[in-house]
């Protein structure tokens, strides 16, 4: 699942998405280092899959596309990321429950694989599903289907830490392999154009 309303944002194929980490906000230096280590593990996992773009750690935020920060508490959320965009700097937030909930701290890197999925342009698998209580879609921003649905996708929520599935790999590779047509028009998924962003 990709797309964000009227476009399908992604990074220009072949891009290097650089990230850094800020100590401020974490309770201890150890927590900050732990989170950064786990984000690096998640980044290296995506890098190993050769999806068309790569992640790279840099020491200074001025050289980064995004920084890892502590976000305090945000309900029961574990972390929050962003989609490809033209901002000078973006933020990947990790929240208190990622450290305190049983079974999640040691699997923080798996939580970050989900968040880096968003950074790559992936939406939740349930983005277009209808909420039976409200009869409205779960997420208001329009999404488009790319590849087969998978209830075990890294882009779902569950009681267990997420795992990257082969369907996630195939869909992400397909997303980043799409090119302009012979007339120079951007690739489309359904009726929605893909828009490429250059990481800052």
């Amino acid at each position: 699942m990709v797309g964000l309303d009227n476009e399908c944002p992604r990074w220009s194929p072949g891009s290097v998405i650089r990230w850094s980490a800020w100590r401020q906000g974490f309770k201890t230096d150890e927590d900050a280092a732990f989170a950064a280590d786990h984000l690096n593990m998640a980044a290296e996992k995506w890098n190993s899959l050769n999806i068309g773009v790569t992640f790279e750690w840099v020491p200074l935020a001025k050289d980064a596309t995004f920084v890892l920060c502590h976000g305090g508490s945000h309900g029961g959320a574990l972390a929050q990321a962003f989609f490809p965009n033209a901002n000078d700097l973006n933020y990947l937030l990790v929240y208190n429950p990622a450290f305190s909930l049983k079974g999640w701290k040691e699997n923080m890197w798996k939580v970050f694989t989900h968040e880096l999925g968003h950074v790559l342009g992936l939406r939740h698998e349930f983005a277009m599903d209808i909420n039976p209580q409200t009869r409205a879609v779960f997420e208001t921003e329009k999404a488009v289907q790319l590849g087969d649905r998978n209830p075990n996708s890294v882009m779902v929520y569950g009681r267990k830490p997420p795992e990257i599935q082969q369907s996630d790999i195939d869909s992400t590779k397909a997303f980043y392999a799409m090119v302009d047509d012979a007339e120079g028009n951007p690739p489309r998924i359904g009726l929605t154009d893909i828009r490429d962003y250059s990481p800052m």
Side-chain angles (χ1 to χ4, degrees):
M1 196 78 66
V2 296
L4 196 63
D5 285 332
N6 297 319
E7 65 181 33
C8 294
R10 71 176 182 182
W11 303 108
S12 298
S15 293
V16 178
I17 306 158
R18 296 179 173 87
W19 66 275
S20 191
W22 281 344
R23 160 65 181 89
Q24 293 88 341
F26 287 92
K27 291 182 179 179
T28 64
D29 289 345
E30 289 75 15
D31 280 355
F34 184 91
D37 286 345
H38 276 246
L39 180 54
N40 189 60
M41 291 166 62
E44 289 304 312
K45 176 62 177 180
W46 276 111
N47 285 349
S48 73
L49 302 174
N50 299 312
I51 55 169
V53 294
T54 55
F55 294 101
E56 179 183 287
W57 177 82
V58 292
L60 299 177
K62 71 179 183 64
D63 299 320
T65 304
F66 72 94
V67 291
L68 171 66
C69 307
H70 193 282
S73 292
H74 189 65
L78 301 173
Q80 182 178 345
F82 59 94
F83 296 99
N85 61 69
N87 295 344
D88 288 339
L89 188 63
N90 297 280
Y91 304 93
L92 194 160
L93 303 176
V94 59
Y95 297 117
N96 286 328
F99 290 92
S100 61
L101 288 179
K102 183 179 179 181
W104 288 94
K105 182 177 179 180
E106 61 267 32
N107 288 297
M108 189 180 292
W109 74 274
K110 294 183 179 180
V111 175
F112 287 148
T113 60
H114 174 103
E115 298 307 328
L116 291 181
H118 288 313
V119 175
L120 292 168
L122 306 184
R123 294 286 299 277
H124 293 134
E125 283 287 283
F126 55 81
M128 295 194 302
D129 290 350
I130 302 297
N131 185 330
Q133 295 179 339
T134 64
R135 297 186 180 180
V137 292
F138 277 106
E139 298 186 355
T140 56
E141 299 91 348
K142 187 176 72 173
V144 291
Q145 183 68 43
L146 175 63
D148 296 330
R149 295 285 299 272
N150 185 342
N152 297 314
S153 168
V154 71
M155 300 311 296
V156 300
Y157 294 148
R159 294 180 180 272
K160 296 181 179 180
E163 300 269 2
I164 296 175
Q165 306 295 312
Q166 187 61 47
S167 60
D168 299 315
I169 300 168
D170 294 343
S171 294
T172 308
K173 284 185 174 181
F175 186 38
Y176 277 91
M178 294 180 178
V179 297
D180 294 354
D181 66 19
E183 285 74 40
N185 298 308
R188 279 187 159 191
I189 301 173
L191 298 176
T192 307
D193 287 349
I194 291 176
R195 180 175 178 183
D196 288 344
Y197 290 91
S198 296
M200 303 301 287

